[in-house]
Amino acid sequence: MALMPALLGATRRAARFCPAAELEKVLRTVLESRREKLVPKHPDTLTSIYYLADLLKARGKLDEAEPLFREALEASRATLGDRHPYTLTSINNISLIYTSDAAHDTP
């Protein structure tokens, strides 16, 4: 997960050239494959969770993104600790979902 910020940026750039719905399908397939072949807290599996959650958040699919961000948070806490930058990023991502949700609920 050392390359997480750069990789998320790459995913966002790819979204400019690939339809978001198609990119979402690809990311779901990759995540499913990694869940089947790797241990649950493997860095590659966590990276795939972040990618998909980030794309879902960007597409406004907050109800789908939140459980993935929570899963990433739990795994980060268990493997990296509470003060690791990726754990803190996971907490921030969940707070952004709540902020976005609240903004959509405001008249």
Side-chain angles (χ1 to χ4, degrees):
M1 287 188 355
L3 299 175
M4 185 64 64
L7 294 174
L8 284 175
T11 301
R12 289 182 186 127
R13 284 189 300 278
R16 285 188 259 157
F17 303 105
C18 177
E22 188 62 31
L23 184 56
E24 183 179 329
K25 285 182 197 175
V26 170
L27 292 175
R28 286 184 188 278
T29 301
V30 170
L31 177 57
E32 182 181 319
S33 176
R34 287 183 170 170
R35 286 188 195 274
E36 290 173 3
K37 294 178 172 80
L38 304 172
V39 296
K41 293 177 183 158
H42 189 283
D44 290 345
T45 304
L46 295 178
T47 298
S48 292
I49 292 168
Y50 277 110
Y51 282 173
L52 180 57
D54 191 58
L55 178 67
L56 292 170
K57 180 174 69 91
R59 295 190 72 199
K61 296 182 175 186
L62 305 180
D63 290 343
E64 293 180 57
E66 182 186 356
L68 291 171
F69 279 131
R70 287 194 174 282
E71 181 181 354
L73 172 60
E74 290 172 21
S76 291
R77 277 188 167 144
T79 58
L80 303 171
D82 285 335
R83 294 192 159 282
H84 191 279
Y86 295 132
T87 303
L88 298 173
T89 297
S90 295
I91 293 168
N92 185 61
N93 287 333
I94 292 169
S95 73
L96 291 174
I97 294 229
Y98 290 142
T99 303
S100 295
D101 233 3
H104 291 246
D105 291 343
T106 305

